[in-house]
Amino acid sequence: MGYWLMKSEPDVFGIDDLERVGVEPWEGVRNYQARNMMRDEMKKGDLAFFYHSNTTVPGIVGVLRIHREGYPDDAAFDPDHNYYDPKSDPDNPRWYRVDVAFEEKFSEVLPLSWLKQQPELSDSPLVRKGNRLSILPVTEAQWRFIMEHAHRR
DNA sequence: GCCAACGTTGGC
DNA sequence: GCCAACGTTGGC
């Protein structure tokens, strides 16, 4: 089973939105590395941390589950859509998305500032400077470490 | 709002 | 294929 971390701006789509709707297409990813992970590596049932970026306290706020594996991101074909990309062709889609399902909201945010202080997480790209990837792999050890702390609070 | 880091674009 | 210019991300 794979473990991931997926970033979203809570002003656009946050953990509370996911809890309300239950299942949501994770659209709008326009980065090739992140695209490759969604298209090729994410499997149904994989778990991912939900990370809030661009907010007062950036950090991990909960857990989601991969509900549907990678399929073309239709938003790229719609000229009226924010995520429109004229270079993506329905016959040869450039961008992919997965569907995610709400799993759990933590009682408190695990702030990035705290994550950065944990030696167990020092190898994660999340805490490395200048990381801008919106989807990151998480190791099983890192997953367990973070989950323990989330449930201890 | 600033700005560092980084990815993408496009001219050559 | 190089690389400067540009746009975006995202922490602070």
Side-chain angles (χ1 to χ4, degrees):
Chain A
M1 167 144 93
Y3 298 102
W4 309 92
L5 179 143
M6 300 171 79
K7 296 182 186 174
S8 183
E9 301 186 22
D11 289 348
V12 178
F13 187 82
I15 186 86
D16 292 330
D17 298 306
L18 183 59
E19 182 167 21
R20 194 178 64 249
V21 299
V23 174
E24 178 79 1
W26 200 268
E27 63 182 15
V29 172
R30 298 292 178 265
N31 170 285
Y32 290 105
Q33 255 183 289
R35 190 260 334 247
N36 292 347
M37 287 188 267
M38 289 200 296
R39 189 189 58 189
D40 306 331
E41 296 179 44
M42 281 185 168
K43 297 300 169 198
K44 187 178 164 87
D46 281 1
L47 295 172
F49 290 123
F50 198 126
Y51 180 93
H52 280 178
S53 64
N54 252 312
T55 186
T56 42
V57 183
I60 294 173
V61 294
V63 175
L64 57 78
R65 187 167 20 87
I66 305 306
H67 185 257
R68 179 180 172 187
E69 294 178 11
Y71 65 103
D73 186 350
D74 295 343
F77 309 139
D78 178 0
D80 295 327
H81 204 288
N82 275 347
Y83 296 131
Y84 177 57
D85 181 354
K87 293 173 190 155
S88 189
D89 177 348
D91 292 331
N92 185 19
R94 176 179 291 205
W95 303 117
Y96 281 70
R97 65 188 182 205
V98 296
D99 288 352
V100 303
F102 177 81
E103 187 76 18
E104 173 183 3
K105 180 186 176 181
F106 295 155
S107 53
E108 290 177 45
V109 182
L110 294 179
L112 179 61
S113 58
W114 179 84
L115 297 167
K116 280 180 168 172
Q117 291 167 18
Q118 309 310 311
E120 291 86 349
L121 303 178
S122 59
D123 288 339
S124 169
L126 180 65
V127 299
R128 278 206 284 272
K129 194 177 177 183
N131 156 63
R132 305 183 343 176
L133 257 189
S134 61
I135 299 179
L136 304 173
V138 172
T139 68
E140 190 174 354
Q142 290 162 355
W143 182 270
R144 287 203 184 128
F145 174 78
I146 291 169
M147 286 301 275
E148 274 175 30
H149 280 268
H151 291 148
R152 192 175 297 169
R153 296 188 165 214

